[in-house]
Amino acid sequence: MENNLTLGEFIIENQKHYKSTSGEFSRLLSSIKLAAKIVNYKVNKAGLVDILGDAGDVNIQGEDQKKLDVYANDVFMQTLINREIACGIASEEEDDFVAIKGKHGTNENKYVMLIDPLDGSSNVDVNVSVGTIFSIYRRVTPIGTPVQQEDFLQRGNQQVAAGYVVYGTSTMLVYTSGHGVNGFTLNPAIGSFYLSHPNMEFPKDGNIYSINEGNYVHFPQGVKDYLKYCQEEKDDRPYTSRYIGSLVSDFHRNMIKGGIYMYPTSSIGPKGKLRLLYECNPMAFLAEQANGKATDGYVRIMDLKPTELHQRVPFFCGSTNMVNKAEEFMAKYPEDA
Ligand code: P6P
């Protein structure tokens, strides 16, 4: 693998794509790469070092914050704040966004970042893979002034870049800056990410569906009908059910093999569970750049106008033909929209 491009070389080679001449965007990606390596070390040692279990706090989502959640959040926040590489950062683990002040009180940077520092963290205690998800936008308020909430409440179609780190059997960083999706695998022996999956694409079709079927009784009828379609013995069906409970891992497998991930509305969660800004928009950008599709069952995820930092939306994402078929079933019940 050592003959492959490293992530650093790839970023430099593709600098021509980024409108920023100051190299700010490249430095931002490099700081994410550094933070990912630090978190990876801790995630891999979690079973040995006492950072498992609850940190005692409860985050804005009302979920117990596990120490590794808190640790990962601190690493990404501090890596960006200390380097003043972005002008603001919003984290799924933080109640509000953070304006990054420059040494002289102003910050001339033009990018803001949103991050889910450790998605699927409840899997850490049972040694199942987890991930980091990030999303980058150009600020919309005047450069040099403190960032405002509107810099973060942008539609997903305004993203400059998005990606994830999957801390799995191997650690990979997968990202897009609007020119396709590329995957880099970490060689832990030397601490370098190497280009291992160039131009990743969702197969148009697949036979894997990922959903928490424990919520079946609470699903809208269109989802129930689609699941029965997946399970009936006809044509290329029944499909295979695969659900890890870690969005990054389910998405990554489905992008390689073909499949659909669904977290729909339910009678217990009227807007589903996933956050539009921290999970759905970045994964939707990746999906579309990989010739896949991402909607809320009716509308393109990246066209939704965010109204609050932590809002949740229903999420259907993966192989285009599978998402289209799911939407056909959803369309039969417009009252559920
Ligand atoms: P459930 C993790 O908390 C997460 O946000 C996604 O990574 C994952 O796909 C989903 O929630 C799992 O939710 O309700 O099935 O446990």
Side-chain angles (χ1 to χ4, degrees):
M1 180 181 290
E2 276 61 28
N3 297 329
N4 295 22
L5 272 183
T6 65
L7 175 55
E9 291 165 335
F10 184 89
I11 291 171
I12 290 166
E13 277 214 355
N14 287 275
Q15 198 133 27
K16 57 183 176 292
H17 290 314
Y18 316 136
K19 295 185 181 55
S20 105
T21 49
S22 63
E24 179 188 330
F25 183 74
S26 301
R27 285 201 309 278
L28 181 48
L29 285 178
S30 296
S31 63
I32 293 168
K33 177 178 66 158
L34 171 63
K37 290 180 195 176
I38 297 169
V39 171
N40 174 64
Y41 176 79
K42 277 287 196 258
V43 166
N44 287 341
K45 297 284 175 294
L48 304 171
V49 181
D50 176 36
I51 52 176
L52 289 180
D54 294 355
D57 293 345
V58 174
N59 67 13
I60 192 169
Q61 325 294 348
E63 296 164 343
D64 290 344
Q65 272 201 320
K66 298 204 171 300
K67 283 183 182 174
L68 220 45
D69 260 356
V70 177
Y71 176 79
N73 187 53
D74 292 349
V75 168
F76 277 95
M77 297 286 285
Q78 289 316 312
T79 302
L80 281 161
I81 291 169
N82 295 345
R83 285 165 174 72
E84 296 174 33
I85 289 173
C87 53
I89 183 168
S91 168
E92 188 219 78
E93 296 296 339
E94 302 275 346
D95 296 352
D96 203 353
F97 64 88
V98 172
I100 300 175
K101 295 183 177 49
K103 288 187 183 61
H104 312 296
T106 61
N107 183 323
E108 300 301 316
N109 291 319
K110 58 170 94 53
Y111 297 110
V112 295
M113 188 165 90
L114 294 97
I115 191 151
D116 181 354
L118 206 66
D119 184 73
S121 58
S122 55
N123 287 314
V124 169
D125 298 350
V126 294
N127 204 12
V128 168
S129 56
V130 292
T132 295
I133 307 171
F134 63 88
S135 177
I136 297 169
Y137 294 81
R138 236 176 242 97
R139 69 179 295 174
V140 292
T141 53
I143 288 180
T145 64
V147 287
Q148 307 294 323
Q149 192 171 69
E150 64 187 288
D151 290 309
F152 299 91
L153 295 184
Q154 298 185 55
R155 286 182 170 81
N157 58 31
Q158 297 303 303
Q159 288 176 98
V160 175
Y164 59 80
V165 184
V166 52
Y167 308 100
T169 44
S170 61
T171 294
M172 280 191 70
L173 190 150
V174 177
Y175 88 97
T176 181
S177 56
H179 306 279
V181 176
N182 291 283
F184 301 81
T185 299
L186 180 66
N187 176 342
I190 53 175
S192 291
F193 282 98
Y194 285 92
L195 180 61
S196 54
H197 296 66
N199 305 312
M200 297 181 82
E201 291 203 341
F202 269 99
K204 279 283 175 235
D205 282 299
N207 66 359
I208 296 171
Y209 65 97
S210 305
I211 189 169
N212 183 341
E213 294 191 69
N215 296 327
Y216 180 85
V217 294
H218 304 298
F219 288 151
Q221 193 55 46
V223 173
K224 291 179 177 176
D225 291 355
Y226 178 63
L227 290 178
K228 290 304 159 218
Y229 169 85
C230 292
Q231 294 159 359
E232 73 180 346
E233 199 153 22
K234 193 175 176 188
D235 303 333
D236 58 345
R237 286 163 284 138
Y239 295 153
T240 297
S241 173
R242 287 282 184 275
Y243 190 69
I244 298 172
S246 173
L247 169 62
V248 168
S249 305
D250 282 315
F251 180 98
H252 188 74
R253 180 207 49 245
N254 291 351
M255 180 159 62
I256 292 170
K257 291 179 176 275
I260 182 172
Y261 172 99
M262 295 169 281
Y263 211 104
T265 62
S266 71
S267 47
I268 47 176
K271 289 291 181 189
K273 175 185 181 184
L274 302 189
R275 290 79 174 188
L276 172 58
L277 296 183
Y278 302 104
E279 293 166 299
C280 300
N281 270 335
M283 302 312 268
F285 190 19
L286 287 160
E288 291 195 5
Q289 284 289 313
N291 290 331
K293 186 171 182 179
T295 75
D296 64 0
Y298 304 92
V299 176
R300 181 185 182 224
I301 287 291
M302 292 210 286
D303 289 341
L304 297 173
K305 177 68 181 90
T307 53
E308 55 184 74
L309 280 177
H310 293 281
Q311 77 184 81
R312 301 171 194 265
V313 293
F315 194 53
F316 294 69
C317 178
S319 294
T320 299
N321 294 347
M322 297 184 82
V323 175
N324 288 340
K325 178 58 76 174
E327 288 181 330
E328 278 177 31
F329 286 96
M330 300 296 285
K332 292 177 183 166
Y333 306 91
E335 67 280 10
D336 286 341

PDB file of all heavy atoms in Angstrom, residues 23-34:
ATOM      1  N   GLY A  23      -4.804  27.906   1.052  1.00  0.00           N
ATOM      2  CA  GLY A  23      -4.456  26.593   1.599  1.00  0.00           C
ATOM      3  C   GLY A  23      -5.221  26.302   2.873  1.00  0.00           C
ATOM      4  O   GLY A  23      -4.998  25.296   3.532  1.00  0.00           O
ATOM      5  N   GLU A  24      -6.189  27.186   3.202  1.00  0.00           N
ATOM      6  CA  GLU A  24      -6.964  27.035   4.440  1.00  0.00           C
ATOM      7  C   GLU A  24      -7.738  25.728   4.423  1.00  0.00           C
ATOM      8  O   GLU A  24      -7.770  24.978   5.392  1.00  0.00           O
ATOM      9  CB  GLU A  24      -7.933  28.227   4.570  1.00  0.00           C
ATOM     10  CG  GLU A  24      -8.811  28.201   5.775  1.00  0.00           C
ATOM     11  CD  GLU A  24      -9.864  29.319   5.704  1.00  0.00           C
ATOM     12  OE1 GLU A  24      -9.585  30.377   5.093  1.00  0.00           O
ATOM     13  OE2 GLU A  24     -10.973  29.117   6.233  1.00  0.00           O
ATOM     14  N   PHE A  25      -8.322  25.418   3.261  1.00  0.00           N
ATOM     15  CA  PHE A  25      -9.143  24.201   3.167  1.00  0.00           C
ATOM     16  C   PHE A  25      -8.260  22.969   3.371  1.00  0.00           C
ATOM     17  O   PHE A  25      -8.611  22.038   4.094  1.00  0.00           O
ATOM     18  CB  PHE A  25      -9.842  24.158   1.813  1.00  0.00           C
ATOM     19  CG  PHE A  25     -10.756  22.981   1.661  1.00  0.00           C
ATOM     20  CD1 PHE A  25     -11.964  22.932   2.317  1.00  0.00           C
ATOM     21  CD2 PHE A  25     -10.388  21.899   0.872  1.00  0.00           C
ATOM     22  CE1 PHE A  25     -12.815  21.840   2.185  1.00  0.00           C
ATOM     23  CE2 PHE A  25     -11.222  20.806   0.726  1.00  0.00           C
ATOM     24  CZ  PHE A  25     -12.436  20.781   1.398  1.00  0.00           C
ATOM     25  N   SER A  26      -7.090  22.975   2.750  1.00  0.00           N
ATOM     26  CA  SER A  26      -6.169  21.832   2.897  1.00  0.00           C
ATOM     27  C   SER A  26      -5.731  21.680   4.349  1.00  0.00           C
ATOM     28  O   SER A  26      -5.656  20.573   4.889  1.00  0.00           O
ATOM     29  CB  SER A  26      -4.948  22.037   1.990  1.00  0.00           C
ATOM     30  OG  SER A  26      -5.385  22.158   0.658  1.00  0.00           O
ATOM     31  N   ARG A  27      -5.480  22.810   5.005  1.00  0.00           N
ATOM     32  CA  ARG A  27      -5.066  22.741   6.414  1.00  0.00           C
ATOM     33  C   ARG A  27      -6.215  22.204   7.271  1.00  0.00           C
ATOM     34  O   ARG A  27      -5.998  21.454   8.222  1.00  0.00           O
ATOM     35  CB  ARG A  27      -4.644  24.135   6.909  1.00  0.00           C
ATOM     36  CG  ARG A  27      -3.287  24.590   6.392  1.00  0.00           C
ATOM     37  CD  ARG A  27      -2.661  25.679   7.261  1.00  0.00           C
ATOM     38  NE  ARG A  27      -3.591  26.781   7.511  1.00  0.00           N
ATOM     39  CZ  ARG A  27      -3.800  27.772   6.644  1.00  0.00           C
ATOM     40  NH1 ARG A  27      -3.191  27.750   5.469  1.00  0.00           N
ATOM     41  NH2 ARG A  27      -4.630  28.757   6.924  1.00  0.00           N
ATOM     42  N   LEU A  28      -7.433  22.547   6.895  1.00  0.00           N
ATOM     43  CA  LEU A  28      -8.601  22.065   7.647  1.00  0.00           C
ATOM     44  C   LEU A  28      -8.696  20.546   7.524  1.00  0.00           C
ATOM     45  O   LEU A  28      -8.845  19.825   8.517  1.00  0.00           O
ATOM     46  CB  LEU A  28      -9.863  22.743   7.112  1.00  0.00           C
ATOM     47  CG  LEU A  28     -11.204  22.425   7.763  1.00  0.00           C
ATOM     48  CD1 LEU A  28     -11.139  22.511   9.267  1.00  0.00           C
ATOM     49  CD2 LEU A  28     -12.285  23.368   7.214  1.00  0.00           C
ATOM     50  N   LEU A  29      -8.544  20.032   6.298  1.00  0.00           N
ATOM     51  CA  LEU A  29      -8.585  18.575   6.102  1.00  0.00           C
ATOM     52  C   LEU A  29      -7.447  17.897   6.855  1.00  0.00           C
ATOM     53  O   LEU A  29      -7.613  16.835   7.459  1.00  0.00           O
ATOM     54  CB  LEU A  29      -8.518  18.250   4.607  1.00  0.00           C
ATOM     55  CG  LEU A  29      -9.788  18.504   3.789  1.00  0.00           C
ATOM     56  CD1 LEU A  29      -9.541  18.180   2.322  1.00  0.00           C
ATOM     57  CD2 LEU A  29     -10.967  17.680   4.315  1.00  0.00           C
ATOM     58  N   SER A  30      -6.272  18.530   6.842  1.00  0.00           N
ATOM     59  CA  SER A  30      -5.126  17.940   7.541  1.00  0.00           C
ATOM     60  C   SER A  30      -5.349  17.895   9.048  1.00  0.00           C
ATOM     61  O   SER A  30      -4.931  16.949   9.724  1.00  0.00           O
ATOM     62  CB  SER A  30      -3.858  18.719   7.206  1.00  0.00           C
ATOM     63  OG  SER A  30      -3.595  18.580   5.822  1.00  0.00           O
ATOM     64  N   SER A  31      -6.042  18.896   9.576  1.00  0.00           N
ATOM     65  CA  SER A  31      -6.277  18.901  11.037  1.00  0.00           C
ATOM     66  C   SER A  31      -7.286  17.806  11.393  1.00  0.00           C
ATOM     67  O   SER A  31      -7.194  17.168  12.440  1.00  0.00           O
ATOM     68  CB  SER A  31      -6.775  20.269  11.500  1.00  0.00           C
ATOM     69  OG  SER A  31      -8.016  20.546  10.890  1.00  0.00           O
ATOM     70  N   ILE A  32      -8.241  17.547  10.486  1.00  0.00           N
ATOM     71  CA  ILE A  32      -9.201  16.449  10.712  1.00  0.00           C
ATOM     72  C   ILE A  32      -8.450  15.114  10.698  1.00  0.00           C
ATOM     73  O   ILE A  32      -8.677  14.238  11.526  1.00  0.00           O
ATOM     74  CB  ILE A  32     -10.305  16.468   9.639  1.00  0.00           C
ATOM     75  CG1 ILE A  32     -11.181  17.713   9.791  1.00  0.00           C
ATOM     76  CG2 ILE A  32     -11.152  15.202   9.700  1.00  0.00           C
ATOM     77  CD1 ILE A  32     -12.106  17.974   8.615  1.00  0.00           C
ATOM     78  N   LYS A  33      -7.504  15.002   9.787  1.00  0.00           N
ATOM     79  CA  LYS A  33      -6.685  13.781   9.682  1.00  0.00           C
ATOM     80  C   LYS A  33      -5.930  13.545  10.981  1.00  0.00           C
ATOM     81  O   LYS A  33      -5.923  12.442  11.531  1.00  0.00           O
ATOM     82  CB  LYS A  33      -5.712  13.954   8.512  1.00  0.00           C
ATOM     83  CG  LYS A  33      -4.732  12.822   8.303  1.00  0.00           C
ATOM     84  CD  LYS A  33      -3.860  13.075   7.092  1.00  0.00           C
ATOM     85  CE  LYS A  33      -2.950  14.273   7.289  1.00  0.00           C
ATOM     86  NZ  LYS A  33      -1.758  14.278   6.408  1.00  0.00           N
ATOM     87  N   LEU A  34      -5.352  14.608  11.538  1.00  0.00           N
ATOM     88  CA  LEU A  34      -4.579  14.482  12.793  1.00  0.00           C
ATOM     89  C   LEU A  34      -5.501  14.056  13.935  1.00  0.00           C
ATOM     90  O   LEU A  34      -5.232  13.089  14.653  1.00  0.00           O
ATOM     91  CB  LEU A  34      -3.911  15.813  13.132  1.00  0.00           C
ATOM     92  CG  LEU A  34      -3.252  15.891  14.513  1.00  0.00           C
ATOM     93  CD1 LEU A  34      -2.101  14.882  14.631  1.00  0.00           C
ATOM     94  CD2 LEU A  34      -2.758  17.314  14.785  1.00  0.00           C
TER      95      LEU A  34
END
